[in-house]
Amino acid sequence: MRVTDYTDFALRVLVYLGTTGDRLVTIDEIAGSCAISRNHLMKIVHRLGQLGYLATVRGKNGGVRLGAPPQRIKVGDVVRDLEGGLDVPAAKTSRSTTDPAQAVRAILREAFASFASVLDATTLADLVQPCLRAKSREAPRGRTR
């Protein structure tokens, strides 16, 4: 299964916001940090807001933040919502049991199920933790004399 750039970017946005706590973050900050064009990012943030993954605040002091704690956001749900599912694409061949496509479809169903299982077992918190650890190692320390 190939995940689209749109979903990849959306997951990056969610991970970044997971590292910022409950602080409102601007589109420009996310664009700079995640190396995503502002225009593309606007579409992604809008969709994530519609799906409830983000809370958005309009206005001068507005921004976005996660719409739920990272522990409650399953990566599998995000991918399903943005990709339109995680199932084997519909067959375009006959349903005959002797059709070679049936053997191929069986292994593809197994592969897609494994792919979905890993994503379903992963929360946003699982992705955020390594980033938070790396941030804490990079944090500037006080001066020493």
Side-chain angles (χ1 to χ4, degrees):
M1 158 137 211
R2 182 178 187 283
V3 174
T4 62
D5 287 344
Y6 185 88
T7 299
D8 177 30
F9 293 159
L11 289 169
R12 291 184 205 186
V13 168
L14 292 172
V15 170
Y16 180 75
L17 291 173
T19 67
T20 62
D22 202 32
R23 171 173 78 83
L24 284 174
V25 179
T26 65
I27 295 290
D28 289 333
E29 179 183 339
I30 298 168
S33 178
C34 296
I36 303 170
S37 80
R38 189 178 194 289
N39 288 339
H40 197 54
L41 185 58
M42 296 278 287
K43 295 173 193 170
I44 293 167
V45 166
H46 178 72
R47 184 67 180 132
L48 290 172
Q50 286 178 324
L51 293 168
Y53 295 113
L54 298 182
T56 59
V57 177
R58 298 180 107 170
K60 183 180 176 191
N61 295 318
V64 296
R65 66 171 72 99
L66 290 178
Q71 303 86 337
R72 290 197 10 230
I73 299 175
K74 289 185 180 179
V75 174
D77 291 340
V78 175
V79 173
R80 271 187 197 84
D81 288 343
L82 298 176
E83 294 288 332
L86 286 174
D87 301 322
V88 176
K92 293 184 171 113
T93 60
S94 72
R95 300 276 187 213
S96 166
T97 56
T98 59
D99 184 351
Q102 293 304 315
V104 172
R105 293 188 61 67
I107 195 68
L108 287 177
R109 274 192 296 278
E110 185 178 342
F112 274 67
S114 294
F115 180 71
S117 175
V118 170
L119 295 179
D120 289 337
T122 305
T123 66
L124 184 59
D126 297 326
L127 302 179
V128 167
Q129 286 308 313
C131 297
L132 290 174
R133 284 193 294 273
K135 262 186 169 180
S136 70
R137 286 191 300 269
E138 293 172 2
R141 298 214 164 78
R143 291 186 183 186
T144 58
R145 291 192 175 219

